[in-house]
Amino acid sequence: DAKTTQPPSMDCAEGRAANLPCNHSTISGNEYVYWYRQIHSQGPQYIIHGLKNNETNEMASLIITEDRKSSTLILPHATLRDTAVYYCIVRVLYGNKLVFGAGTILRVKS
Amino acid sequence: GAVVSQHPSRVICKSGTSVKIECRSLDFQATTMFWYRQFPKQSLMLMATSNEGSKATYEQGVEKDKFLINHASLTLSTLTVTSAHPEDSSFYICSARGPGPDTQYFGPGTRLTVL
């Protein structure tokens, strides 16, 4: 599975959009981009995943560049409860395992 | 969404004892479960993949005789840390491949402290 690069930390004001970038320049054509988050001392939570088209669900939006070498997770109206570590993972669909990198610590501040 | 539970949520044990952690899929059947370990301020590290009715597949560097995994039913996998030592103190998290397209659900984690 391709490697991903994320900034170690980001701050965001409560109520504003949080835009979390991820670089995956070696992504293969059959690999999807997955996002999970982990709130302190809890298990990870699935957020969203996509292949090449932009995706949106009740939690977030995923914007993937046309060359698929990077993506951005958007939390449209961040709240204090969105403070967590966000992981961007690249993997083939129905792949056997999720491999977590270092992730981005998102701190939402009031 | 589908729910995965772990028991216990916290355990403190003496060095040299064995500790069993249970992972259950509460409302779905999971043919595949995964076990992760997470040290403070670090990311999750996959330890092993467990398939119901067969032996677990361990990641490189994980001692299979120390971390015994049993997946005897479609809703239960157990991780036993044998002869635990202080360096085994960690946050252990399981996940289960759930229903629906390519879903994986995580348990709340078990914090193990070995004195």
Side-chain angles (χ1 to χ4, degrees):
Chain A
D1 294 327
K3 181 179 169 59
T4 63
T5 304
Q6 299 178 251
S9 65
M10 293 182 64
D11 290 342
C12 176
E14 189 179 20
R16 304 297 294 267
N19 297 284
L20 293 99
C22 178
N23 285 322
H24 29 78
S25 58
T26 61
I27 192 169
S28 300
N30 62 345
E31 289 181 314
Y32 283 65
V33 180
Y34 292 79
W35 284 84
Y36 281 77
R37 73 179 182 184
Q38 185 180 25
I39 295 170
H40 182 62
S41 294
Q42 297 183 23
Q45 176 190 23
Y46 166 82
I47 301 173
I48 199 167
H49 75 281
L51 181 64
K52 55 182 178 180
N53 297 321
N54 298 337
E55 302 287 344
T56 296
N57 62 22
E58 64 278 5
M59 289 184 68
S61 294
L62 173 60
I63 308 299
I64 302 174
T65 58
E66 193 168 342
D67 64 6
R68 302 208 324 121
K69 292 186 177 182
S70 66
S71 60
T72 301
L73 178 74
I74 301 172
L75 306 179
H77 305 287
T79 70
L80 298 178
R81 288 178 292 181
D82 292 321
T83 293
V85 180
Y86 287 76
Y87 297 99
C88 169
I89 301 168
V90 170
R91 193 192 73 170
V92 297
L93 193 64
Y94 300 109
N96 194 36
K97 55 190 179 183
L98 288 168
V99 178
F100 288 80
T104 295
I105 300 171
L106 174 68
R107 288 181 281 258
V108 181
K109 299 184 176 182
S110 58
Chain B
V3 177
V4 175
S5 70
Q6 284 185 238
H7 179 77
S9 58
R10 288 178 183 273
V11 57
I12 301 173
C13 69
K14 293 182 179 180
S15 185
T17 60
S18 294
V19 175
K20 180 184 285 189
I21 302 169
E22 293 184 348
C23 175
R24 293 182 185 274
S25 56
L26 296 185
D27 50 1
F28 65 97
Q29 294 183 329
T31 55
T32 304
M33 289 184 171
F34 306 88
W35 286 96
Y36 293 80
R37 179 169 55 179
Q38 186 175 34
F39 293 109
K41 299 190 184 303
Q42 293 186 22
S43 188
L44 288 80
M45 185 193 79
L46 180 66
M47 300 175 68
T49 300
S50 166
N51 290 300
E52 187 264 340
S54 63
K55 290 184 179 181
T57 302
Y58 291 81
E59 295 298 304
Q60 191 172 10
V62 178
E63 299 174 61
K64 61 181 180 181
D65 294 331
K66 180 166 183 63
F67 299 100
L68 301 179
I69 293 172
N70 184 286
H71 192 164
S73 80
L74 288 171
T75 59
L76 173 65
S77 176
T78 60
L79 168 68
T80 301
V81 184
T82 62
S83 186
H85 291 283
E87 58 266 30
D88 299 322
S89 297
S90 188
F91 193 49
Y92 291 87
I93 305 168
C94 73
S95 72
R97 175 165 291 162
D102 200 24
T103 54
Q104 193 167 326
Y105 299 93
F106 286 81
T110 296
R111 187 161 303 282
L112 169 64
T113 302
V114 184
L115 301 176

